[in-house]
Amino acid sequence: MAIKASMPILLLDNDTNKRKFTKNMFIDMGLKNVKEASDLNKSKDLLQEFQQNGKPVGLIVAKWDPEECEGLDLVSYVKSEETYKNIPIIMITNQSDQISLIKCLKAGVNAVVVPPYSALTLKEKLAKIFNKKKAA
């Protein structure tokens, strides 16, 4: 599956500056349809909005910080919903220990990114995710 510039991307991060930073990386890659959410409820609303408009979300990028951000809760929600369960997910987390990384992957995350990260890191993760989908 090729990545289209118009593909809707949902970006969950409770930190406004980090959210803008990541959004700008996607825009610089030519992916212009990035919608931002600061919490789980806004994420759910955006997923429904895109679905109702006939342009379902093609990628979720979520931050997981057990103290502050609900990325893993969003993964659980997405994977439990028939409509959303096949959306690829990139998790951004400072939790770089092996147990946390395994927890993300077991939850259904397709890729994990540990800050600091660059546009190149995101491109590599996107290539792996969408090349796997194409081969499947």
Side-chain angles (χ1 to χ4, degrees):
M1 178 176 155
I3 302 172
K4 295 181 181 178
S6 62
M7 176 182 72
I9 298 172
L10 171 60
L11 175 59
L12 167 64
D13 193 326
N14 63 315
D15 184 307
T16 304
N17 292 328
K18 290 178 184 172
R19 207 170 52 238
K20 297 285 184 205
F21 173 77
T22 303
K23 179 180 181 177
N24 287 334
M25 284 185 189
F26 283 111
I27 290 171
D28 289 346
M29 285 186 255
L31 301 169
K32 310 240 183 258
N33 196 3
V34 181
K35 299 298 180 197
E36 302 174 51
S38 59
D39 61 42
L40 181 60
N41 289 329
K42 178 67 175 171
S43 297
K44 289 178 179 180
D45 291 345
L46 287 171
L47 282 167
Q48 290 176 347
E49 182 182 312
F50 275 112
Q51 192 69 32
Q52 289 169 352
N53 291 335
K55 297 188 183 274
V57 169
L59 174 69
I60 295 171
V61 180
K63 176 182 167 189
W64 175 47
D65 181 339
E67 311 289 309
E68 300 173 4
C69 199
E70 307 157 309
L72 212 51
D73 295 330
L74 178 60
V75 174
S76 295
Y77 170 75
V78 167
K79 296 304 177 183
S80 71
E81 295 289 321
E82 189 65 33
T83 305
Y84 308 129
K85 70 179 185 179
N86 294 319
I87 300 172
I89 302 170
I90 296 174
M91 183 68 74
I92 299 172
T93 181
N94 288 322
Q95 308 300 309
S96 60
D97 61 280
Q98 190 171 5
I99 292 170
S100 295
L101 296 176
I102 290 170
K103 188 174 188 175
C104 288
L105 295 173
K106 280 188 175 182
V109 169
N110 300 82
V112 178
V113 174
V114 178
Y117 54 93
S118 65
L120 179 60
T121 303
L122 291 176
K123 280 183 189 178
E124 289 170 350
K125 298 296 183 182
L126 288 173
K128 286 181 182 175
I129 289 169
F130 287 97
N131 286 336
K132 270 187 191 175
K133 287 187 79 151
K134 186 177 178 181

